[in-house]
Amino acid sequence: MTQSIEIVRSILEKKNTMAAKKKGLKPLNSVSMTDRVENILRDYFQENAFKPGDSLPGELEIAEKLDVSRNVVREALSRLRMLGIIESRTRRGMIMARPDILGGLERVMNPFILGKDTLNDVFEMRLILEMGMAEFLFARKTAQDIEELEEIVASQTSIEEPTKEEEIRFHTKLYDMTGNETFTRFQILLLPVFEHVFKKYRKGKTNTPPPDHIHHDGLVKVLKTGTVNDFRNAMQTHLKPYFDVIDL
Amino acid sequence: MTQSIEIVRSILEKKNTMAAKKKGLKPLNSVSMTDRVENILRDYFQENAFKPGDSLPGELEIAEKLDVSRNVVREALSRLRMLGIIESRTRRGMIMARPDILGGLERVMNPFILGKDTLNDVFEMRLILEMGMAEFLFARKTAQDIEELEEIVASQTSIEEPTKEEEIRFHTKLYDMTGNETFTRFQILLLPVFEHVFKKYRKGKTNTPPPDHIHHDGLVKVLKTGTVNDFRNAMQTHLKPYFDVIDL
DNA sequence: TTTGTATATTTGACCAACAAATAAAATAAT
DNA sequence: ATTATTTTATTTGTTGGTCAAATATACAAA
């Protein structure tokens, strides 16, 4: 809300030079006008350190300075609005906003449209996250956390073979304990793809792998009394069925 | 390109029921029509397992069945096109496509507009990735990889204090060695924010931390002759300056 | 069968207009 | 003079229509 006027003025100058250089923005090789306007705006925001609250020129002003129609500008702004980069209310105009860093990821996390390689990558990334969180877990765990974990384990119908929901609940609690909300949300986004890929692997392989891994109660015990390295080893064993299907 | 006709037919039926239920889509509480159309389309793609190559109804058809203007539909489609969920060429119509899973993330990874908490989360996440990649590194490393790492280290002007570029080059090679392209690209996206946050931390703290950590040559040696746990411990020590600023 | 042509369709881009909301200005009331 | 109310003007949201460019499709010609 601060330096709005100077910002508006500077964006217009920039646009003038751009427009002048191109003598009227024209669609490029298979790149639509909307694509170009979107990129121009994002680049400009970044280069000039636009911050949430800063106000933007109106749609018409942008359209005129870029020498494109208001519709094209609106299509580009619609994209930025979806990502949360800008917000707009009638008459109040548009302002920069704080995007949800994972909003874009959430919209494409669909096992049916992602490529096979990408799906495998996601599967592996969740394993990497599980193995990498140990430091944070030990640095930030509390007695309360351990208690909750023990409750989760105690409520499980079978310690030998927890259901998918129980498995998820347990691991999500672990992520929570890192105190890193983005990290937690990130893994929740990965989960559906993780499950999807694992199912496919098990179909492809001969039999279902024997569940000879360390169970949740074991992990809690190590978390309670063991060391960081103990925990990592325990987690690696716990994840063995998943490492196995990718022959790691 | 396969079941296009049935898909078209079914999407239209769905839209009819939706439109009928709402008796003409109307803007909801601070939710634009474009938002709603975007969500309707994405939900529909997911629920009906749309795959890349499947063809979609035309803009006009969607607009009519949803009882909104073509402009609103185009703004929604513009968003999906940005994410890579759909592609469209004149007369050939629109088809489902393979989105870049990190495209949305790339567009919002801007230190100036993300919240302070989110920036901290990103900083921590990179540390988690570095600590979690050990299994993959040891499972997939090759002699060639080790050679390249040694070359990178040898080319460094000072082993004691590698430049930021040298540091990045070394670590990026490590990510490459995991064979996980998404993982590699992910960390490259995190890097600018990581550097940005680290700079802010160092300004806030008293002095620059003494560089008494394990250097790249040490990491390579462990990677060559040590165990996975050796490497993790070495990496933890190598990252100590970063763990220190967050008091971990 | 192959090639070339005409037609029709679909997306890309533009323009004009109005509705809804509200900031700003003008006016009225105290 | 200050406050409250009304009016005005501006900005985004949404609609409708038009035109251009590209290209499937059908058809005609070789």
Side-chain angles (χ1 to χ4, degrees):
Chain A
M1 210 77 87
T2 54
Q3 352 107 275
S4 58
I5 293 183
E6 303 117 71
I7 286 172
V8 169
R9 195 159 296 162
S10 68
I11 195 177
L12 297 190
E13 287 162 14
K14 159 96 173 208
K15 300 321 171 194
N16 274 327
T17 62
M18 299 263 344
K21 200 167 62 180
K22 321 249 172 172
K23 296 187 176 156
L25 238 44
K26 277 175 194 167
L28 216 57
N29 256 356
S30 76
V31 176
S32 70
M33 305 281 292
T34 302
D35 291 333
R36 303 190 55 196
V37 172
E38 182 217 328
N39 288 328
I40 287 175
L41 290 176
R42 266 193 303 104
D43 288 350
Y44 192 78
F45 297 158
Q46 185 125 14
E47 285 168 15
N48 294 79
F50 270 42
K51 289 178 293 295
D54 291 346
S55 65
L56 307 179
E59 296 174 349
L60 252 172
E61 210 166 349
I62 296 176
E64 284 170 7
K65 298 311 175 189
L66 285 179
D67 196 24
V68 294
S69 77
R70 191 176 157 225
N71 281 17
V72 167
V73 173
R74 278 189 61 80
E75 283 184 21
L77 292 174
S78 177
R79 299 176 174 186
L80 304 184
R81 214 165 8 243
M82 171 186 67
L83 294 177
I85 294 176
I86 66 172
E87 283 175 5
S88 43
R89 272 177 279 181
T90 30
R91 169 68 202 183
R92 283 185 60 176
M94 292 180 292
I95 59 173
M96 294 294 287
R98 238 185 242 314
D100 174 6
I101 192 177
L102 298 180
L105 200 63
E106 189 176 10
R107 286 177 162 82
V108 301
M109 199 58 88
N110 176 341
F112 298 112
I113 61 176
L114 291 178
K116 197 182 164 195
D117 292 343
T118 303
L119 292 176
N120 285 339
D121 287 348
V122 170
F123 181 81
E124 294 180 2
M125 279 183 72
R126 183 160 183 272
L127 296 178
I128 291 174
L129 298 185
E130 300 263 345
M131 294 303 300
M133 72 196 294
E135 269 73 31
F136 287 86
L137 228 36
F138 273 75
R140 294 177 180 167
K141 68 178 177 182
T142 68
Q144 166 87 17
D145 285 331
I146 304 287
E147 270 178 42
E148 286 184 35
L149 274 180
E150 286 172 334
E151 278 171 29
I152 290 173
V153 173
S155 74
Q156 289 177 1
T157 52
S158 157
I159 291 188
E160 298 299 317
E161 194 84 37
T163 68
K164 197 174 77 178
E165 288 74 22
E166 290 168 344
E167 174 82 4
I168 291 174
R169 190 168 165 228
F170 180 81
H171 282 263
T172 299
K173 174 61 186 170
L174 287 184
Y175 284 88
D176 274 333
M177 288 170 59
T178 64
N180 189 318
E181 197 182 320
T182 304
F183 182 59
T184 303
R185 289 187 51 218
F186 186 67
Q187 84 96 9
I188 290 177
L189 284 183
L190 298 191
L191 254 176
V193 170
F194 184 83
E195 303 276 358
H196 183 266
V197 173
F198 187 54
K199 246 180 233 161
K200 277 208 303 189
Y201 271 124
R202 290 181 65 157
K203 270 184 190 161
K205 297 282 170 178
T206 54
N207 284 2
T208 61
D212 60 348
H213 49 94
I214 291 188
H215 301 296
H216 291 161
D217 54 345
L219 278 175
V220 176
K221 194 181 293 177
V222 174
L223 195 51
K224 205 170 171 181
T225 65
T227 69
V228 174
N229 276 329
D230 291 339
F231 181 80
R232 275 196 285 243
N233 292 332
M235 180 60 90
Q236 191 181 357
T237 312
H238 175 64
L239 296 175
K240 189 166 184 302
Y242 304 111
F243 279 115
D244 279 347
V245 294
I246 53 174
D247 298 317
L248 209 76
Chain B
M1 210 75 86
T2 55
Q3 353 109 274
S4 59
I5 293 184
E6 303 118 67
I7 286 175
V8 170
R9 196 160 294 166
S10 68
I11 197 175
L12 298 190
E13 287 163 14
K14 160 96 174 209
K15 298 322 170 193
N16 274 328
T17 63
M18 299 265 344
K21 201 166 60 177
K22 323 250 170 175
K23 291 179 179 163
L25 239 43
K26 276 173 192 168
L28 219 54
N29 258 355
S30 75
V31 177
S32 71
M33 304 282 290
T34 303
D35 291 333
R36 304 189 55 199
V37 172
E38 181 216 328
N39 288 328
I40 287 175
L41 291 176
R42 266 192 304 105
D43 288 350
Y44 192 79
F45 296 159
Q46 183 125 14
E47 287 168 14
N48 294 79
F50 269 43
K51 290 179 294 295
D54 292 345
S55 65
L56 306 179
E59 296 174 349
L60 250 171
E61 209 165 349
I62 296 176
E64 285 169 7
K65 299 310 175 189
L66 285 179
D67 195 24
V68 294
S69 78
R70 188 176 160 225
N71 279 349
V72 167
V73 172
R74 278 188 61 80
E75 285 185 19
L77 292 174
S78 177
R79 299 176 174 186
L80 304 184
R81 213 170 299 125
M82 171 186 68
L83 295 177
I85 294 175
I86 66 172
E87 282 176 5
S88 42
R89 270 179 280 180
T90 32
R91 170 65 201 180
R92 278 186 63 176
M94 291 179 294
I95 59 173
M96 294 294 288
R98 240 187 242 311
D100 174 6
I101 192 176
L102 299 179
L105 200 63
E106 189 175 11
R107 287 176 162 82
V108 300
M109 200 60 88
N110 175 341
F112 299 112
I113 63 176
L114 291 177
K116 197 183 163 195
D117 291 343
T118 302
L119 293 176
N120 285 339
D121 287 349
V122 169
F123 180 81
E124 294 180 3
M125 279 183 72
R126 182 159 184 273
L127 295 178
I128 291 174
L129 298 185
E130 301 262 345
M131 294 303 301
M133 72 197 293
E135 268 73 29
F136 287 85
L137 228 36
F138 273 76
R140 295 177 179 168
K141 66 177 177 180
T142 68
Q144 165 88 17
D145 286 329
I146 303 287
E147 269 179 41
E148 286 185 34
L149 274 180
E150 285 172 336
E151 278 171 30
I152 290 173
V153 173
S155 74
Q156 289 177 1
T157 51
S158 158
I159 291 189
E160 299 297 318
E161 194 86 35
T163 68
K164 197 175 76 179
E165 288 72 24
E166 290 168 345
E167 174 82 4
I168 290 174
R169 188 166 166 229
F170 180 82
H171 283 264
T172 298
K173 174 61 187 170
L174 287 184
Y175 284 88
D176 274 334
M177 289 170 59
T178 64
N180 189 318
E181 196 182 321
T182 305
F183 182 59
T184 303
R185 290 188 51 218
F186 186 66
Q187 85 95 9
I188 289 177
L189 284 182
L190 298 190
L191 255 176
V193 169
F194 184 83
E195 303 277 358
H196 183 267
V197 173
F198 186 54
K199 247 180 233 163
K200 277 206 306 188
Y201 271 126
R202 289 181 66 155
K203 270 184 190 162
K205 298 279 173 181
T206 53
N207 283 0
T208 61
D212 60 346
H213 49 93
I214 291 188
H215 301 296
H216 291 162
D217 54 345
L219 279 175
V220 176
K221 193 180 295 177
V222 174
L223 194 52
K224 206 170 172 181
T225 65
T227 70
V228 174
N229 275 329
D230 291 340
F231 181 80
R232 274 196 284 246
N233 292 333
M235 181 59 90
Q236 190 180 358
T237 311
H238 174 63
L239 297 175
K240 189 166 184 302
Y242 305 111
F243 280 115
D244 279 346
V245 294
I246 54 174
D247 298 317
L248 210 78

PDB file of all heavy atoms in Angstrom, chain A residues 127-140:
ATOM      1  N   LEU A 127      10.203 -40.671  -0.120  1.00  0.00           N
ATOM      2  CA  LEU A 127      11.157 -41.463   0.656  1.00  0.00           C
ATOM      3  C   LEU A 127      12.304 -40.577   1.132  1.00  0.00           C
ATOM      4  O   LEU A 127      12.769 -40.693   2.272  1.00  0.00           O
ATOM      5  CB  LEU A 127      11.688 -42.618  -0.199  1.00  0.00           C
ATOM      6  CG  LEU A 127      10.639 -43.652  -0.621  1.00  0.00           C
ATOM      7  CD1 LEU A 127      11.271 -44.725  -1.500  1.00  0.00           C
ATOM      8  CD2 LEU A 127      10.011 -44.287   0.621  1.00  0.00           C
ATOM      9  N   ILE A 128      12.745 -39.693   0.250  1.00  0.00           N
ATOM     10  CA  ILE A 128      13.829 -38.777   0.628  1.00  0.00           C
ATOM     11  C   ILE A 128      13.397 -37.892   1.794  1.00  0.00           C
ATOM     12  O   ILE A 128      14.164 -37.675   2.742  1.00  0.00           O
ATOM     13  CB  ILE A 128      14.241 -37.925  -0.587  1.00  0.00           C
ATOM     14  CG1 ILE A 128      14.926 -38.811  -1.644  1.00  0.00           C
ATOM     15  CG2 ILE A 128      15.155 -36.777  -0.160  1.00  0.00           C
ATOM     16  CD1 ILE A 128      15.251 -38.094  -2.936  1.00  0.00           C
ATOM     17  N   LEU A 129      12.173 -37.403   1.741  1.00  0.00           N
ATOM     18  CA  LEU A 129      11.679 -36.556   2.821  1.00  0.00           C
ATOM     19  C   LEU A 129      11.660 -37.321   4.144  1.00  0.00           C
ATOM     20  O   LEU A 129      12.087 -36.807   5.184  1.00  0.00           O
ATOM     21  CB  LEU A 129      10.266 -36.058   2.499  1.00  0.00           C
ATOM     22  CG  LEU A 129      10.086 -35.198   1.258  1.00  0.00           C
ATOM     23  CD1 LEU A 129       8.655 -34.687   1.172  1.00  0.00           C
ATOM     24  CD2 LEU A 129      11.055 -34.024   1.257  1.00  0.00           C
ATOM     25  N   GLU A 130      11.179 -38.549   4.099  1.00  0.00           N
ATOM     26  CA  GLU A 130      11.076 -39.335   5.332  1.00  0.00           C
ATOM     27  C   GLU A 130      12.457 -39.561   5.946  1.00  0.00           C
ATOM     28  O   GLU A 130      12.633 -39.516   7.163  1.00  0.00           O
ATOM     29  CB  GLU A 130      10.428 -40.695   5.031  1.00  0.00           C
ATOM     30  CG  GLU A 130       9.042 -40.616   4.460  1.00  0.00           C
ATOM     31  CD  GLU A 130       7.948 -40.789   5.514  1.00  0.00           C
ATOM     32  OE1 GLU A 130       8.272 -41.241   6.632  1.00  0.00           O
ATOM     33  OE2 GLU A 130       6.781 -40.459   5.210  1.00  0.00           O
ATOM     34  N   MET A 131      13.444 -39.802   5.073  1.00  0.00           N
ATOM     35  CA  MET A 131      14.783 -40.046   5.585  1.00  0.00           C
ATOM     36  C   MET A 131      15.463 -38.747   6.034  1.00  0.00           C
ATOM     37  O   MET A 131      16.361 -38.773   6.866  1.00  0.00           O
ATOM     38  CB  MET A 131      15.634 -40.722   4.502  1.00  0.00           C
ATOM     39  CG  MET A 131      15.191 -42.115   4.130  1.00  0.00           C
ATOM     40  SD  MET A 131      15.134 -43.232   5.551  1.00  0.00           S
ATOM     41  CE  MET A 131      16.846 -43.176   6.101  1.00  0.00           C
ATOM     42  N   GLY A 132      15.029 -37.637   5.468  1.00  0.00           N
ATOM     43  CA  GLY A 132      15.733 -36.384   5.748  1.00  0.00           C
ATOM     44  C   GLY A 132      15.210 -35.605   6.929  1.00  0.00           C
ATOM     45  O   GLY A 132      15.832 -34.636   7.373  1.00  0.00           O
ATOM     46  N   MET A 133      14.073 -36.006   7.462  1.00  0.00           N
ATOM     47  CA  MET A 133      13.441 -35.205   8.499  1.00  0.00           C
ATOM     48  C   MET A 133      13.985 -35.482   9.899  1.00  0.00           C
ATOM     49  O   MET A 133      13.588 -34.802  10.857  1.00  0.00           O
ATOM     50  CB  MET A 133      11.925 -35.437   8.479  1.00  0.00           C
ATOM     51  CG  MET A 133      11.511 -36.804   9.003  1.00  0.00           C
ATOM     52  SD  MET A 133       9.815 -37.234   8.543  1.00  0.00           S
ATOM     53  CE  MET A 133       8.957 -35.993   9.486  1.00  0.00           C
ATOM     54  N   ALA A 134      14.887 -36.428  10.031  1.00  0.00           N
ATOM     55  CA  ALA A 134      15.310 -36.906  11.355  1.00  0.00           C
ATOM     56  C   ALA A 134      15.858 -35.782  12.244  1.00  0.00           C
ATOM     57  O   ALA A 134      15.452 -35.646  13.399  1.00  0.00           O
ATOM     58  CB  ALA A 134      16.342 -38.017  11.203  1.00  0.00           C
ATOM     59  N   GLU A 135      16.756 -34.975  11.705  1.00  0.00           N
ATOM     60  CA  GLU A 135      17.331 -33.890  12.513  1.00  0.00           C
ATOM     61  C   GLU A 135      16.250 -33.011  13.125  1.00  0.00           C
ATOM     62  O   GLU A 135      16.280 -32.669  14.312  1.00  0.00           O
ATOM     63  CB  GLU A 135      18.236 -32.989  11.660  1.00  0.00           C
ATOM     64  CG  GLU A 135      19.690 -33.403  11.627  1.00  0.00           C
ATOM     65  CD  GLU A 135      19.845 -34.638  10.777  1.00  0.00           C
ATOM     66  OE1 GLU A 135      19.064 -34.790   9.824  1.00  0.00           O
ATOM     67  OE2 GLU A 135      20.724 -35.454  11.094  1.00  0.00           O
ATOM     68  N   PHE A 136      15.329 -32.627  12.298  1.00  0.00           N
ATOM     69  CA  PHE A 136      14.287 -31.708  12.758  1.00  0.00           C
ATOM     70  C   PHE A 136      13.386 -32.377  13.787  1.00  0.00           C
ATOM     71  O   PHE A 136      12.954 -31.760  14.757  1.00  0.00           O
ATOM     72  CB  PHE A 136      13.460 -31.206  11.562  1.00  0.00           C
ATOM     73  CG  PHE A 136      14.219 -30.232  10.713  1.00  0.00           C
ATOM     74  CD1 PHE A 136      15.063 -30.678   9.700  1.00  0.00           C
ATOM     75  CD2 PHE A 136      14.101 -28.873  10.923  1.00  0.00           C
ATOM     76  CE1 PHE A 136      15.770 -29.777   8.934  1.00  0.00           C
ATOM     77  CE2 PHE A 136      14.798 -27.965  10.153  1.00  0.00           C
ATOM     78  CZ  PHE A 136      15.642 -28.421   9.155  1.00  0.00           C
ATOM     79  N   LEU A 137      13.151 -33.659  13.556  1.00  0.00           N
ATOM     80  CA  LEU A 137      12.319 -34.412  14.496  1.00  0.00           C
ATOM     81  C   LEU A 137      12.946 -34.411  15.882  1.00  0.00           C
ATOM     82  O   LEU A 137      12.284 -34.119  16.884  1.00  0.00           O
ATOM     83  CB  LEU A 137      12.186 -35.844  13.972  1.00  0.00           C
ATOM     84  CG  LEU A 137      10.820 -36.496  13.904  1.00  0.00           C
ATOM     85  CD1 LEU A 137       9.747 -35.512  13.537  1.00  0.00           C
ATOM     86  CD2 LEU A 137      10.868 -37.637  12.915  1.00  0.00           C
ATOM     87  N   PHE A 138      14.225 -34.714  15.938  1.00  0.00           N
ATOM     88  CA  PHE A 138      14.885 -34.816  17.237  1.00  0.00           C
ATOM     89  C   PHE A 138      15.100 -33.443  17.866  1.00  0.00           C
ATOM     90  O   PHE A 138      15.119 -33.311  19.084  1.00  0.00           O
ATOM     91  CB  PHE A 138      16.215 -35.569  17.107  1.00  0.00           C
ATOM     92  CG  PHE A 138      16.049 -37.048  17.223  1.00  0.00           C
ATOM     93  CD1 PHE A 138      15.515 -37.783  16.177  1.00  0.00           C
ATOM     94  CD2 PHE A 138      16.383 -37.717  18.399  1.00  0.00           C
ATOM     95  CE1 PHE A 138      15.335 -39.149  16.281  1.00  0.00           C
ATOM     96  CE2 PHE A 138      16.199 -39.082  18.511  1.00  0.00           C
ATOM     97  CZ  PHE A 138      15.680 -39.803  17.452  1.00  0.00           C
ATOM     98  N   ALA A 139      15.270 -32.442  17.050  1.00  0.00           N
ATOM     99  CA  ALA A 139      15.506 -31.109  17.605  1.00  0.00           C
ATOM    100  C   ALA A 139      14.237 -30.501  18.171  1.00  0.00           C
ATOM    101  O   ALA A 139      14.297 -29.664  19.072  1.00  0.00           O
ATOM    102  CB  ALA A 139      16.096 -30.194  16.530  1.00  0.00           C
ATOM    103  N   ARG A 140      13.104 -30.902  17.643  1.00  0.00           N
ATOM    104  CA  ARG A 140      11.871 -30.203  17.995  1.00  0.00           C
ATOM    105  C   ARG A 140      10.816 -31.079  18.653  1.00  0.00           C
ATOM    106  O   ARG A 140       9.721 -30.602  18.966  1.00  0.00           O
ATOM    107  CB  ARG A 140      11.277 -29.557  16.733  1.00  0.00           C
ATOM    108  CG  ARG A 140      12.174 -28.461  16.200  1.00  0.00           C
ATOM    109  CD  ARG A 140      11.648 -27.855  14.918  1.00  0.00           C
ATOM    110  NE  ARG A 140      12.552 -26.788  14.450  1.00  0.00           N
ATOM    111  CZ  ARG A 140      12.491 -26.246  13.254  1.00  0.00           C
ATOM    112  NH1 ARG A 140      11.579 -26.659  12.383  1.00  0.00           N
ATOM    113  NH2 ARG A 140      13.340 -25.286  12.910  1.00  0.00           N
TER     114      ARG A 140
END
